[in-house]
Structures are given as C-alpha cells and as structure tokens.
Amino acid sequence: MVLGWVGRASSLSRCARWGHGARPALSTTTTTTTTTTTIRASHASAADREYCIDLVKRHDRGSYAATLLLQDDAARQRAWSIRGFNVEVALIRDAAREEMTRRMRYQFWIDAVDMVFAGTPSKHPVALCLADTVEARPLTGRLFKEVVKARADDAIATGGFNSLSDLEDYTDQTVTAVLLLLLESAESRSDPADLAACHVGRAVGIAGVLRAAPFLLARGEVRFPNDLLATHVPDRKVLRAGVSSPALEELAFTLGSVANTHLENAQQVGGLTRDAKRQLLPAVGCRQYLEALQRANFNLYAPELQRVDGLLPFRLLWHSTFKSF
C-alpha cells in the first residue's frame, strides 16, 4: 500500500452547482417577518431544550463539541434543535428493525416538519425546539424533508449504493442538507458557503461510511458503492472475514482519497464569514479521522480508529479561534 491521497477533479465540478446561484429558494411555508414587534411564547420548555442537548451529546459528540463554540446561547439553541432532529432521524434505521415500524417513524417526522412550519408542532421535544428555531429564522422546510426521505429510502433499499455518485448524492441529501440548515440558522448562507458545505458534507458522509464499516460488516451490511467494490473487492468473502485485507485497504484508500479531496476543495473556497466557518467545524473531526486512517495504512479495523479522539474539543476550539475549519 502506497501512502498518500489521490485527487479527483470531478469532485469539484459536481459540487460546483451549489456555488453558482443554485441555492434553493426559502420554503414558502416558513414564517414571515413583519414590522410589528411581538414577543412569542416559547414552544419548548427548558426540559425540551435539555433533551435536544443530551441527544446530540450522546450520539454525535463531534457536533456537540462544535455547537458549544457558537457565539451565543440563542445560536446554540437553534443548532441543538437542528442537530437533534438529524440524530432522531438517523437513529430510526437501527432502532426500528421492522420495515413497517421504520416507515411509520419516518412518516412521523415528515408530518412533524409540516406541523412545525404550520406553527402547530407536535409535543415531541425536538419538534418543539425546532418550532422556536423556525420562528426565529426563515429555514427551508424542504431541506428537513429531504433528510428524512433520503434516510427512509436508504433504510428500506437493499444492495447499498450502486455507485460513488449515488453515495455522494446521499450525503448531499443528509449531511450537506443539515449543514445548509445550520448556515440558515446563523444567517450565513451564500454561494461560497453553500459550495463549502457541499464539500464538507460529502467528506463527512464518506468518512462516516468508512468509520462505520467494521460494525456494519459484522452484521452483514455493506455500505460501500458497488462500482468500487467491483473494482477493488471482486470477492465479497473478504468483506465477511472481519479483518483487513489488501483489497479492502485499496477500497478504503480510494474512498478516503475522495473525502480528502472534498476537504481540500472546501478549504479553497473564499469569501466565507466567521459564522459560516463555525458551522463547518465538522470538517475538523473528519480530517482527523482521515489522517488516522492514513497512518493506519488504510486498515479500517485498526484499533486506534475506533477510539474517541479526546483532543477533538481542543482542535475545534483552535480552529474556531483562528477562523478556520
């Protein structure tokens, strides 16, 4: 195995659509702002807000640490609600093993989004927190539904992703969509910010597939794109062995290279505000994982890749302080 990364020029062109006026219009179902100043009663209680915070802390520690670095409590509360929504939807796949139960839970969140934007949220803590966020900021309702529908389709489908392009499209609809919502909550969306979010979202999503591979392969789930499997792992028995192999390392190298290229492309985007960069801090944890994967010679089963990075909060603080990601 030769250490290093291989760039992919196509990665930039496929993300470029986010940075040239392709930003979708805000949903017509969002609340409008009037010139009359009113004081709205909060939908969410302190217990509801604590539920969101604890949910993110337990299931997405990187995002939890990054959110703590936002500029004020109101910004953090808005981010907790969006991150909490993302965690709730992401957990359905593993929490509900029967297809019908999964469908019902995904539909619950589709309906919950409609109710939030109608101003009549359900009594779920995350929905109540989201209702407060939507009243404070004009968020795009379609992006919330995109996250739910993409995860629902993925959970119900069999055979994994047909191609790398399909995997990148999935990360657009899940990871990138959440980043765009976070940017909206910080009033920081722009063509450059959208373009950077696309690259960061794809990098984080692909790294997530690599990170989860040992766990998923152990229970018979293959999340690697089929076109790359055909090229690098023609013998699928390798995937069931529970140990690394040259073929699997080549596959990890290829996917890691794609993720790394997206991170590099994100860094090349200019014109980003400090608030936008704060919302892109998940890139920091992604970069640390990819560097650790490279040091492990692309062995996905290396023990050090399964450990929690205790220094991540300090890395995030450094990047936040110096306006980078």
Side-chain angles (χ1 to χ4, degrees), residues 27-219:
S27 169
T28 56
T29 58
T30 56
T31 56
T32 58
T33 302
T34 67
T35 56
T36 302
T37 301
T38 58
I39 299 176
R40 298 175 182 269
S42 175
H43 292 281
S45 66
D48 296 327
R49 290 189 286 271
E50 191 61 35
Y51 175 92
C52 280
I53 295 171
D54 184 64
L55 184 68
V56 178
K57 183 178 181 179
R58 286 186 290 114
H59 297 284
D60 190 356
R61 293 191 66 86
S63 294
Y64 171 78
T67 303
L68 289 175
L69 298 174
L70 297 184
Q71 64 272 32
D72 56 59
D73 184 63
R76 289 189 289 274
Q77 294 300 333
R78 293 191 293 269
W80 294 133
S81 69
I82 295 169
R83 287 291 186 188
F85 166 82
N86 183 53
V87 171
E88 285 282 1
V89 176
L91 289 177
I92 293 174
R93 181 187 180 97
D94 290 330
R97 303 305 297 174
E98 296 184 2
E99 181 176 328
M100 182 57 66
T101 304
R102 284 179 177 172
R103 288 181 183 273
M104 292 174 62
R105 293 190 182 182
Y106 287 123
Q107 187 60 48
F108 169 85
W109 283 107
I110 291 289
D111 295 339
V113 169
D114 285 334
M115 294 170 69
V116 163
F117 279 91
T120 56
S122 71
K123 298 304 181 183
H124 192 286
V126 171
L128 292 170
C129 291
L130 272 180
D132 287 337
T133 296
V134 166
E135 288 188 354
R137 293 289 187 270
L139 304 186
T140 304
R142 178 187 58 77
L143 290 173
F144 286 102
K145 290 187 176 182
E146 197 170 275
V147 172
V148 180
K149 291 178 178 178
R151 290 196 179 277
D153 291 345
D154 179 59
I156 295 168
T158 58
F161 303 104
N162 288 327
S163 65
L164 173 60
S165 177
D166 287 342
L167 172 57
E168 290 187 320
D169 288 343
Y170 174 73
T171 65
D172 284 348
Q173 296 162 351
T174 52
V175 187
T176 299
V178 170
L179 291 176
L180 294 177
L181 287 166
L182 289 167
L183 287 168
E184 287 182 353
S185 76
E187 298 182 316
S188 297
R189 279 196 72 176
S190 64
D191 285 348
D194 286 9
L195 176 58
C198 174
H199 285 304
V200 171
R202 290 183 176 186
V204 170
I206 293 170
V209 168
L210 291 169
R211 189 193 299 268
F215 170 74
L216 294 177
L217 290 174
R219 66 185 195 187

